[in-house]
Amino acid sequence: MVLADFYNILDRQVRENGKHLLEIRIHPDHPIFGGHFPGRPVTPGVCMLQIIKDTAEDILQAKIRMHSAKNIRFYAIIDPTVQPIVKLELVIQETETIQIKANCSFEDTLALKMELNFYRSYPVL
């Protein structure tokens, strides 16, 4: 895990339609927030991308690497001191690439939405 101690997964569910629902706690005392931004922590978008990649690798039991991203939209700031718990929805489809549609929200607020494509690298040992 690249983001050691940045977050932990509190709950996981898989729906019949292949949708993965995760409840994640972001740790507001992580050193990243000392610089992003002092006194007003904001969860970096790149960290949310890494969380999506990490959880997808865990679901697929394989290492993956980014191929492309589109329709990336950030709608709300995730302040871990105010909203430490977020809900992540992943829909994963595998063809020649691994397509992931991801939504992240807290309470009733959509924070981000994106479509990502990955290549499968190798199985997790």
Side-chain angles (χ1 to χ4, degrees):
M1 179 186 301
V2 173
L3 296 174
D5 301 321
F6 184 74
Y7 71 97
N8 65 298
I9 297 172
L10 302 174
D11 189 39
R12 300 172 181 256
Q13 296 177 22
V14 180
R15 300 282 165 90
E16 298 82 39
N17 60 4
K19 183 184 287 187
H20 298 265
L21 304 173
L22 299 105
E23 188 174 68
I24 295 171
R25 177 184 302 276
I26 298 172
H27 302 151
D29 56 344
H30 193 276
I32 283 175
F33 297 114
H36 201 270
F37 296 96
R40 176 80 166 114
V42 173
T43 303
V46 70
C47 292
M48 292 307 301
L49 279 166
Q50 187 66 46
I51 290 171
I52 292 166
K53 180 181 180 285
D54 289 349
T55 55
E57 286 181 335
D58 189 49
I59 290 164
L60 296 165
Q61 288 297 291
K63 291 289 186 186
I64 57 178
R65 60 183 168 85
M66 178 78 73
H67 169 336
S68 63
K70 65 180 183 176
N71 299 326
I72 297 176
R73 303 283 188 263
F74 294 95
Y75 298 103
I77 291 172
I78 301 172
D79 178 340
T81 62
V82 179
Q83 303 93 11
I85 297 175
V86 297
K87 296 190 185 309
L88 185 62
E89 296 179 9
L90 302 178
V91 176
I92 302 172
Q93 294 181 322
E94 208 169 340
T95 57
E96 59 275 356
T97 62
I98 298 164
Q99 296 105 29
I100 300 174
K101 291 184 180 180
N103 294 327
C104 181
S105 60
F106 53 85
E107 298 168 357
D108 293 327
T109 303
L110 180 62
L112 67 89
K113 188 176 190 174
M114 59 185 69
E115 295 177 33
L116 308 166
N117 282 300
F118 292 87
Y119 289 120
R120 184 180 287 267
S121 296
Y122 50 88
V124 174
L125 302 178

